[in-house]
Amino acid sequence: MTDIAGPTVHPTVYIVDDDAAVCDALGCLLEVTGFSVATHDTALHFLHHCPPDAAGCVVADLRMPGMDGIALQAEMVRRGYRMPIILISAHGDVSSAVGALRAGAVDFLEKPFDEGLFISRITEALHRDDVQRRQQADVASASALLRRLSVREREVAALMIEGHANKIIADHMSISVRTVETHRANLLEKLGIRTLPELMRLWLQAGNR
């Protein structure tokens, strides 16, 4: 079976807060715990220096001058960022938490928060990002493999996955059974697989239904 595991990435926790003391405190806590950290004093500074395909998670203050945390979340979505974002605030209330989560944040924490809880939420966010990236890598790799197939081979593959026998596929495509067998052998070889279950797994990983 062809290996379609994704590339290794090194996640970073991006802290976005206009309060330098908060950036320093959270940065030190995370670095001591073993995390890679980058701090930014404005949302625009973060967007300018962090590429959309960066791995990790974002911790952003809900209320900042200029672009606030919720606006940053919306801009990240618009620009194609996929990292989870945790919003924090010293002015937490129910409406703020609901607004943050509705905007797409994975969590909302009110300052000051428990260090253990903070580390736990960061760990969860990084795990979420890692799982999402692995899934995306699987889709991209499977799609790249399937693009090796000719139009005819892809049509045969689709009919195989639907459970049709070679004779039915031949009748459907108006070709001989021998030609179906040839297409079948060629597509399995191109994909580096041997069995129908492997083909079905690859087909589904590429996002086909």
Side-chain angles (χ1 to χ4, degrees):
M1 175 66 184
T2 302
D3 182 8
I4 58 174
T8 301
V9 294
H10 302 286
T12 297
V13 180
Y14 298 89
I15 302 172
V16 186
D17 199 309
D18 61 307
D19 188 332
V22 171
C23 283
D24 290 343
L26 295 182
C28 287
L29 172 62
L30 291 170
E31 287 177 343
V32 167
T33 313
F35 295 100
S36 175
V37 179
T39 60
H40 304 274
D41 58 0
T42 68
L44 290 177
H45 188 269
F46 163 77
L47 292 169
H48 180 72
H49 289 87
C50 179
D53 61 350
C57 70
V58 177
V59 178
D61 191 33
L62 182 66
R63 300 183 181 181
M64 294 183 288
M67 184 182 294
D68 63 16
I70 290 181
L72 171 60
Q73 165 67 16
E75 184 63 16
M76 287 174 63
V77 171
R78 190 186 73 81
R79 297 192 184 195
Y81 286 82
R82 298 184 182 276
M83 284 186 292
I85 182 170
I86 298 172
L87 292 178
I88 59 177
S89 177
H91 310 281
D93 53 43
V94 173
S95 61
S96 296
V98 171
L101 296 174
R102 282 181 175 173
V106 298
D107 214 333
F108 177 85
L109 297 175
E110 183 178 358
K111 306 175 191 175
F113 36 74
D114 178 76
E115 292 183 356
L117 174 64
F118 179 63
I119 294 298
S120 174
R121 298 298 170 80
I122 291 295
T123 301
E124 291 173 5
L126 292 177
H127 175 69
R128 178 173 180 156
D129 183 62
D130 180 63
V131 169
Q132 178 176 271
R133 288 177 183 281
R134 289 179 183 276
Q135 291 173 341
Q136 292 168 352
D138 283 349
V139 170
S141 297
S143 297
L145 283 173
L146 291 176
R147 284 196 294 272
R148 298 178 182 178
L149 304 182
S150 68
V151 174
R152 280 302 214 183
E153 289 166 349
R154 190 177 180 90
E155 188 175 356
V156 169
L159 292 169
M160 287 171 60
I161 289 169
E162 290 177 4
H164 298 300
N166 287 352
K167 178 65 168 62
I168 301 300
I169 296 174
D171 291 343
H172 179 82
M173 297 179 63
S174 300
I175 57 179
S176 69
V177 172
R178 182 176 294 276
T179 301
V180 172
E181 292 172 346
T182 299
H183 284 319
R184 183 169 183 149
N186 288 342
L187 73 89
L188 292 177
E189 181 179 0
K190 285 183 179 180
L191 298 176
I193 58 179
R194 296 181 179 179
T195 66
L196 179 58
E198 288 178 306
L199 175 61
M200 293 178 67
R201 175 173 173 267
L202 192 63
W203 193 263
L204 292 174
Q205 283 181 330
N208 298 302
R209 293 293 182 268

